[in-house]
Amino acid sequence: MLNENIAAISTALSASGVAVIRISGDSPLSIAQKMFTPVGKTGVADFEPYKMYVGEIHADGFNDFGMCVYFKAPKSFTGEDIVEFHCHGGIAITKGILKKIISLGARLATNGEFTKRAFMNGKLSLSSAEGLIDMINSESESGVKAGYYLYREKLTNEINALQDMITDVLSQVDADMDFPEEDLEQTSTLAVQETLTEVIERIESLLKTYRLGRTLKNGVSVGICGKPNTGKSSLLNALLDYDKAIVSDVAGTTRDIVEGSIEINGVRFNFSDTAGIRESGDKVEELGVVLSKKVVDQSDLILLVLDGSNLTEDDEQIYELVKDKNLLVAVNKTDIVVKKDNRADIYVSALKKDNLDNLKKLIYDKTVGIGLDLNGDFLCEERHFSALVRAKEKLVCALNGIGQVPLDILAIDVKDGWDALGEISGRTATEDIINNIFSKFCVGK
Ligand code: GDP
């Protein structure tokens, strides 16, 4: 099958030391031949694959001096012939080189088109491609790890193994289907039950990792609440280490949600500082109160800040509102007074930045958990989770149906389970699913 040459700038479009422009398709080398003059004796047509050649890159209206490398199909990222130009990383330079490539007959690549071609050519599975985009988009170490698990085909390998087991079940059922009583023979019943049970258990253990995996990918949400003036904004600033929230001693200054993120042990934590939860006659502040109730409902952890120098009935009312949530109570302003409070998990001073490392540790322990290996295998994509849930439903149905329903009906459930699993690796993914995944990629990947 012929594939037209596509091209894109593969590095970020900004001033930088080096940039990479990539062409993939049937004949990228013939384009390179028309716009690259090597310094050495070897002509472009005779380039050895995977070797860097220095020379002059003839762009649209100017020249740059850089390198050219040829990847020969099928041993390339896309599985097609690829040529890369490594040029100086200026915006005008990269655009000029790309323009030249397009004028020589290549088409501008669409979002994720290189990776889509890699998928189509069997170089990686769909979940691996998703892991790749997760890694690229990730802003935290744990997000990179979650993406890498997918990218390196660990999930796909497990899914393929489960599909192979289901295939065995299907052939067993098929073999017995010719019997007039339309039921499994006793020996196959046992084998089928055992296999289906194992597949379901392995799906369940994957499903259990989803909550944490999603958290590792997207970050943990922490809602900071408390009555006005307890030091919520100051504490957020101290944690973020810069003055994002407005701090003042007029009660009710923080009227909108103020957000900021930090990394603790490689995991991203997204904080939302709220207006104090209290009734107010002020319209703007009322809006803040509504927003803060929303934050309370949607956060993985509530950080309730009490003012140690001013504990009142209002604190108790707010405490009653949030006490059933995943809650951490910090008593602030220990630089002025250290008053013991039986609701407190920790005592801090936002002003003096006192005890903040222990506060961070507590925040981590109360959300991610204690003693977890973040290099472990976690599901982090909603799409994979829902496919596994559907697969499990179908396989449980089949398991319960043994001896109760005709074999052909049983086989339909088993096959549906197989299909649902196949969506993860891409073996049974529809065109829509595939297009939707690659549309999230940037151009050039
Ligand atoms: P919020 O309304 O809960 O967001 O409170 P702010 O962060 O705006 O702080 C209210 C007042 O308390 C400000 O004057 C802060 O400087 C002061 N404050 C905040 N944290 C501390 C602290 O740890 N010690 C002392 N002494 N004052 C603090």
Side-chain angles (χ1 to χ4, degrees):
M1 196 177 70
L2 286 178
N3 266 326
E4 64 182 321
N5 294 313
I6 52 168
I9 301 166
S10 289
T11 38
L13 201 58
S14 63
S16 59
V18 179
V20 176
I21 296 148
R22 186 147 63 163
I23 319 168
S24 178
D26 292 318
S27 52
L29 212 51
S30 70
I31 293 180
Q33 227 173 334
K34 295 179 190 126
M35 57 179 289
F36 188 75
T37 310
V39 166
K41 288 194 192 89
T42 315
V44 174
D46 301 318
F47 273 3
E48 222 180 280
Y50 320 109
K51 193 171 162 185
M52 291 282 218
Y53 291 88
V54 180
E56 201 158 36
I57 306 168
H58 308 292
D60 186 63
F62 61 89
N63 293 330
D64 186 23
F65 197 75
M67 289 194 266
C68 181
V69 57
Y70 166 50
F71 300 86
K72 191 171 163 54
K75 286 188 180 171
S76 72
F77 176 69
T78 55
E80 305 169 338
D81 273 0
I82 288 183
V83 161
E84 280 180 6
F85 290 113
H86 294 230
C87 61
H88 292 106
I91 296 173
I93 302 173
T94 46
K95 280 187 170 173
I97 293 171
L98 181 63
K99 206 168 160 198
K100 179 74 175 189
I101 295 169
I102 301 298
S103 76
L104 291 172
R107 166 173 68 72
L108 202 60
T110 56
N111 294 45
E113 199 171 359
F114 290 95
T115 316
K116 188 174 177 183
R117 286 191 176 189
F119 167 67
M120 294 300 190
N121 291 328
K123 301 295 287 188
L124 42 68
S125 73
L126 208 49
S127 59
S128 169
E130 287 168 295
L132 193 52
I133 189 69
D134 284 349
M135 284 179 72
I136 290 172
N137 289 336
S138 180
E139 291 182 12
S140 71
E141 189 185 308
S142 65
V144 174
K145 284 178 181 166
Y148 192 71
Y149 162 68
L150 292 177
Y151 171 58
R152 297 298 294 160
E153 304 286 15
K154 288 195 183 164
L155 180 61
T156 303
N157 291 342
E158 172 67 355
I159 297 298
N160 288 345
L162 296 179
Q163 281 190 302
D164 287 349
M165 289 165 78
I166 298 175
T167 304
D168 284 348
V169 168
L170 277 173
S171 34
Q172 193 84 60
V173 173
D174 258 359
D176 285 5
M177 227 178 304
D178 299 333
F179 286 79
E181 59 271 25
E182 285 247 319
D183 208 346
L184 288 168
E185 284 197 83
Q186 210 183 354
T187 45
S188 9
T189 302
L190 276 176
V192 165
Q193 270 172 338
E194 259 176 35
T195 310
L196 284 180
T197 306
E198 187 187 335
V199 172
I200 291 165
E201 278 170 8
R202 280 164 69 169
I203 290 178
E204 278 169 348
S205 57
L206 278 172
L207 288 172
K208 276 192 207 136
T209 65
Y210 178 57
R211 229 182 83 88
L212 186 59
R214 197 187 46 180
T215 303
L216 297 181
K217 182 186 160 203
N218 300 330
V220 182
S221 56
V222 182
I224 308 182
C225 67
K227 72 181 182 203
N229 248 8
T230 56
K232 297 182 294 298
S233 314
S234 307
L235 192 57
L236 178 58
N237 282 338
L239 287 168
L240 300 177
D241 238 359
Y242 70 97
D243 274 331
K244 187 167 185 184
I246 321 148
V247 182
S248 91
D249 41 16
V250 181
T253 313
T254 311
R255 285 173 172 168
D256 293 320
I257 308 289
V258 182
E259 295 177 325
S261 302
I262 57 170
E263 224 175 271
I264 308 175
N265 299 338
V267 180
R268 191 180 167 93
F269 285 77
N270 304 314
F271 288 86
S272 304
D273 178 13
T274 67
I277 302 180
R278 58 163 204 175
E279 300 308 320
S280 155
D282 183 325
K283 273 258 155 63
V284 185
E285 192 170 296
E286 258 175 19
L287 187 66
V289 171
V290 174
L291 282 175
S292 70
K293 283 185 176 148
K294 199 170 151 205
V295 168
V296 167
D297 288 339
Q298 292 176 353
S299 296
D300 296 314
L301 176 74
I302 301 297
L303 174 58
L304 172 60
V305 183
L306 306 179
D307 178 344
S309 68
N310 182 25
L311 294 164
T312 64
E313 185 49 32
D314 281 357
D315 295 312
E316 188 52 30
Q317 280 180 12
I318 297 172
Y319 178 75
E320 283 299 316
L321 281 177
V322 295
K323 70 172 196 247
D324 296 328
K325 309 270 174 194
N326 187 17
L327 178 69
L328 202 169
V329 180
V331 174
N332 188 29
K333 309 197 185 179
T334 51
D335 53 297
I336 325 179
V337 60
V338 184
K339 212 180 260 175
K340 287 276 169 225
D341 189 289
N342 55 15
R343 294 164 296 201
D345 293 296
I346 190 165
Y347 295 83
V348 296
S349 165
L351 195 70
K352 301 281 178 211
K353 299 198 171 171
D354 203 25
N355 216 16
L356 297 190
D357 280 342
N358 284 330
L359 176 62
K360 284 185 193 170
K361 186 178 177 309
L362 261 188
I363 290 171
Y364 183 91
D365 290 349
K366 280 209 152 229
T367 48
V368 178
I370 302 166
L372 265 178
D373 176 12
L374 298 189
N375 288 305
D377 302 340
F378 299 101
L379 277 190
C380 60
E381 290 288 336
E382 205 274 329
R383 190 182 81 79
H384 303 161
F385 178 78
S386 76
L388 281 164
V389 167
R390 269 182 288 122
K392 184 186 152 186
E393 273 168 16
K394 293 294 178 184
L395 298 174
V396 167
C397 240
L399 184 63
N400 293 339
I402 294 175
Q404 316 276 330
V405 296
L407 285 185
D408 48 351
I409 304 288
L410 199 84
I412 291 174
D413 277 335
V414 176
K415 178 69 172 58
D416 284 349
W418 193 94
D419 284 346
L421 288 179
E423 286 174 23
I424 295 173
S425 60
R427 275 159 104 173
T428 58
T430 61
E431 189 67 24
D432 274 354
I433 295 177
I434 295 168
N435 287 338
N436 183 34
I437 288 170
F438 290 106
S439 68
K440 292 182 204 148
F441 275 60
C442 47
V443 175
K445 186 62 216 166

